[in-house]
Amino acid sequence: MNMNAVYSWAEIIAIVLLFNVCFSTSYRRTETQPQVCALCGGSVNNTAVDLFCSSSAGRIKGRCCLKNNSISDPERIIGLDLSNCSLTHVDNLQGVSTVVMIDFSINPIVNISDTVFEGFGDLNFMILPPHVACPGGNTSWEKVELKEGKRLCEGQKNMCNQTGHLSVYCPENSLCAPYGPGFSECSCAENFYGYKCLRQHLQS
């Protein structure tokens, strides 16, 4: 018997086994849905989030629309439909900061704190019960309207200055960046770092 052939078959089997382990681990990781996606039952077929998901080439998983930019990127939540879920309050949306559209309509929610959406820089469209204000107030959105018993918040405004230069709200050597409805954050300009961006990398 040719030993080289035996070893190459053994190597092939090892590679196949390794591939199966990696694939099944990857598959399980992809199939694990965030807790918020299973917050309540019901279908999202033909809802605003479903239509948005279809137009964005995403896929529905529970109450979420998931999408990744490439095969190597992990899926992220871009749509969240929690309409008609009997929610009385919203206080934790951990793991959903990449969302672009949220529907909270048909819920007995009294109020939603603005801080819930801190860090939600991509959020661009919300559907709320009519008595609930848009996060950050009307000035944080391009368009706010009441329509068919729902409050629509559309087009999150950039709270920073529009020129992209140093912001008056941030320390010297830092730049302002949007950080959710009504929020902004300061990040150090290039070559600066540390407390209040006061330290500078030396040019080589």
Side-chain angles (χ1 to χ4, degrees), residues 25-193:
T25 302
S26 171
Y27 180 77
R28 282 197 302 272
R29 184 170 61 247
T30 304
E31 286 301 300
T32 303
Q33 68 180 17
Q35 189 174 357
V36 71
C37 299
L39 200 57
C40 68
S43 172
V44 297
N45 287 343
N46 297 318
T47 63
V49 170
D50 183 36
L51 296 174
F52 162 75
C53 195
S54 297
S55 66
S56 303
R59 72 178 184 98
I60 294 292
K61 183 72 175 177
R63 286 287 186 139
C64 293
C65 173
L66 307 176
K67 184 181 179 181
N68 56 357
N69 289 331
S70 67
I71 295 172
S72 60
D73 287 342
E75 283 189 317
R76 66 190 192 284
I77 298 173
I78 62 167
L80 178 62
D81 187 338
L82 293 180
S83 62
N84 201 17
C85 285
S86 302
L87 299 177
T88 56
H89 65 282
V90 178
D91 55 10
N92 184 8
L93 291 176
Q94 188 175 0
V96 194
S97 61
T98 56
V99 74
V100 177
M101 179 179 190
I102 299 180
D103 187 349
F104 282 127
S105 63
I106 321 173
N107 281 300
I109 300 169
V110 177
N111 189 28
I112 303 177
S113 171
D114 290 349
T115 57
V116 171
F117 304 101
E118 190 171 358
F120 284 56
D122 295 327
L123 182 59
N124 209 37
F125 195 86
M126 293 190 74
I127 307 173
L128 300 168
H131 57 276
V132 176
C134 295
N138 291 357
T139 56
S140 297
W141 300 85
E142 298 289 345
K143 184 179 180 182
V144 175
E145 65 177 335
L146 287 172
K147 190 174 181 181
E148 298 175 0
K150 299 172 184 177
R151 185 178 301 278
L152 308 180
C153 318
E154 187 173 355
Q156 183 185 156
K157 287 184 181 178
N158 185 338
M159 291 291 104
C160 304
N161 60 17
Q162 301 300 311
T163 61
H165 297 300
L166 294 178
S167 171
V168 295
Y169 303 108
C170 291
E172 189 178 359
N173 307 321
S174 67
L175 297 170
C176 179
Y179 200 59
F183 291 99
S184 61
E185 67 172 351
C186 299
S187 55
C188 294
E190 190 175 2
N191 295 325
F192 290 90
Y193 68 102

